[in-house]
Amino acid sequence: MSADLPEYYFRVRENGAFVFRVDTENRQRRIEMDQIAVVNIRNGEIKPHGQRQLSDQDMAEIKSWMAARAATLAARDTDDIHRAIDHLNLTAHWANSRATDEQLEDVTDALLLAMHDLRSVLVRKKADRLIKVRGGE
């Protein structure tokens, strides 16, 4: 099992991760994890843990993880939006076919305001993109 373990472990947290170096080369054959850094994905900051100096390999591994993590989070954002589209379609079907008057009364104003807000943002952003494309011609 020990031979299959990665050299680094990233304990994910809200804005990044705690970075550990994994050590299995000890007399007890135990897995030891030594924290070497704290990473903030939002601002790109890498802080060595304590008085530690990060090696070039440490930095390369951390930066590689940060790039992969940013790609994962971006993909999740897009997937969440596609799920929201599905939920909107399911909500339309529910409202049209199964919702009671009381249920509709409970959700209609909140849904209309949220959809109006979303539509306003999308229309403004679409107009901005069109202006950029036409301005670049």
Side-chain angles (χ1 to χ4, degrees), residues 11 19 34 50 55 62 66-68 71-72 91-92 116 119-121 136:
R11 182 192 302 155
V19 184
D34 182 28
S55 70
I62 291 168
M66 290 173 73
T72 296
T91 301
H116 175 74
R119 184 183 185 286
S120 298
V121 169

Side-chain angles (χ1 to χ4, degrees), residues 23-105:
D23 177 20
T24 57
E25 301 297 323
N26 55 63
R27 291 196 297 140
Q28 294 84 15
R29 294 174 120 1
R30 292 184 179 163
I31 298 171
E32 294 180 5
M33 297 192 330
D34 182 28
Q35 184 177 354
I36 63 169
V38 177
V39 174
N40 186 317
I41 291 287
R42 289 194 182 149
N43 65 14
E45 189 173 56
I46 301 169
K47 288 184 184 176
H49 182 68
Q51 301 300 314
R52 182 173 305 277
Q53 294 289 324
L54 298 176
S55 70
D56 289 343
Q57 180 184 349
D58 293 338
M59 291 299 291
E61 291 286 338
I62 291 168
K63 288 179 180 180
S64 175
W65 179 86
M66 290 173 73
R69 182 69 178 165
T72 296
L73 294 174
R76 285 183 185 168
D77 281 347
T78 302
D79 186 56
D80 286 347
I81 299 307
H82 285 287
R83 288 174 192 257
I85 293 166
D86 288 348
H87 283 286
L88 282 170
N89 286 316
L90 292 169
T91 301
H93 179 69
W94 168 82
N96 192 49
S97 63
R98 296 190 322 268
T100 65
D101 288 345
E102 294 80 23
Q103 290 172 321
L104 288 172
E105 187 62 36

